Amino acid sequence: MCLVPQTLGIIGGGMIGGAVARLAVAAGLDVVVSNSRGPETLTGLVADLGDRARAATPAEAARAGDLVVVAVPLKAYGHLPAADLVGKTVIDAMNYYPDRDGDLAELDAGELTSSALVQRHLTGARVVKAFNNIDFHRLFTSARPAGAPDRSALPVAGDDPAAKAEATALLDALGYDAVDIGTLADSRRSQPGTPVYVQPYMGERPEGLSREEAGRWFYETPGVPVPAARVKELIDTAS
């Protein structure tokens, strides 16, 4: 049985969601993209994506997707359409940023990972953590075909082996190898502030850049390949 979805639902049409949508369309998948503001606000993105994409509400994207990627601010996780995601594999691309999301006591105390919090809300779904440790620009530009010498890998974490297999197949189709780093509890090793988070894929930014120069460097500098062996090394050094 082919694990790659024919239709990918995306909840969150921002930077990460948009990058995933573009990679999915390039891989020949159909995409249903949504956000909290309504399908009419996604006309520009859908026009860029072409005939394989359409805009919808989050509930519609959840129902339409063979697999669903969630890329919204973590503070909005409680608004995810849990009933429409029952039975689905849900890829959680979200991260906890207290300055943006507000303080979440269970996360601050280390009692739960953010993905475990999402899984608790999505009781009937199978949550897998992925796409959360790379910036949106490098996510799009660093994708490579299977077997390419400069192909990068991304960490994947989840409690359900079959769901992780689906996520791994999607990553492969979109241009990445996957490194299984364990359960949702283990996903803390790929969260913000860990060795595998963002910086390895960007390379070292020169010091002393102005804000304008830093923005230009971000968009003009190619990504650095981070193969599976390197991802494993970085994950192993996370506290």
Side-chain angles (χ1 to χ4, degrees):
M1 181 180 68
C2 180
L3 296 178
V4 179
Q6 294 183 341
T7 301
L8 185 66
I10 299 178
I11 300 177
M15 293 175 176
I16 291 292
V20 171
R22 288 181 169 88
L23 291 174
V25 166
L29 307 184
D30 293 325
V31 172
V32 182
V33 63
S34 66
N35 65 15
S36 62
R37 294 177 294 138
E40 66 279 1
T41 66
L42 293 165
T43 54
L45 175 60
V46 169
D48 288 343
L49 293 172
D51 294 340
R52 285 193 172 274
R54 66 180 177 91
T57 67
E60 290 167 342
R63 292 192 296 268
D66 300 313
L67 188 153
V68 180
V69 175
V70 175
V72 300
L74 183 65
K75 63 184 177 182
Y77 83 92
H79 298 293
L80 294 173
D84 299 292
L85 290 166
V86 170
K88 304 275 186 174
T89 292
V90 176
I91 296 183
D92 169 22
M94 300 180 286
N95 286 307
Y96 175 44
Y97 303 109
D99 290 346
R100 179 198 65 187
D101 300 315
D103 293 325
L104 299 173
E106 291 173 299
L107 303 189
D108 292 337
E111 297 171 6
L112 290 175
T113 61
S114 60
S115 287
L117 194 67
V118 173
Q119 177 68 85
R120 190 171 68 185
H121 173 62
L122 301 179
T123 55
R126 301 176 297 272
V127 173
V128 178
K129 189 75 162 186
F131 295 126
N132 68 298
N133 73 308
I134 186 171
D135 72 88
F136 73 95
H137 184 57
R138 247 57 55 173
L139 174 59
F140 182 70
T141 62
S142 294
R144 296 290 187 274
D150 59 345
R151 199 184 210 210
S152 290
L154 298 173
V156 171
D159 296 339
D160 186 291
K164 282 195 285 189
E166 289 184 65
T168 296
L170 177 66
L171 262 64
D172 182 50
L174 300 192
Y176 288 89
D177 293 331
V179 175
D180 186 344
I181 66 170
T183 66
L184 292 181
D186 296 315
S187 67
R188 67 180 73 252
R189 296 189 291 167
S190 69
Q191 66 189 12
T194 61
V196 80
Y197 184 74
V198 176
Q199 192 277 326
Y201 301 88
M202 295 179 65
E204 292 291 341
R205 186 174 72 180
E207 296 183 3
L209 298 181
S210 68
R211 185 171 182 176
E212 180 180 349
E213 290 169 336
R216 189 162 55 246
W217 178 89
F218 178 88
Y219 283 104
E220 294 178 355
T221 303
V224 175
V226 185
R230 180 58 178 156
V231 169
K232 291 175 184 177
E233 289 176 1
L234 293 169
I235 289 293
D236 287 343
T237 64
S239 60

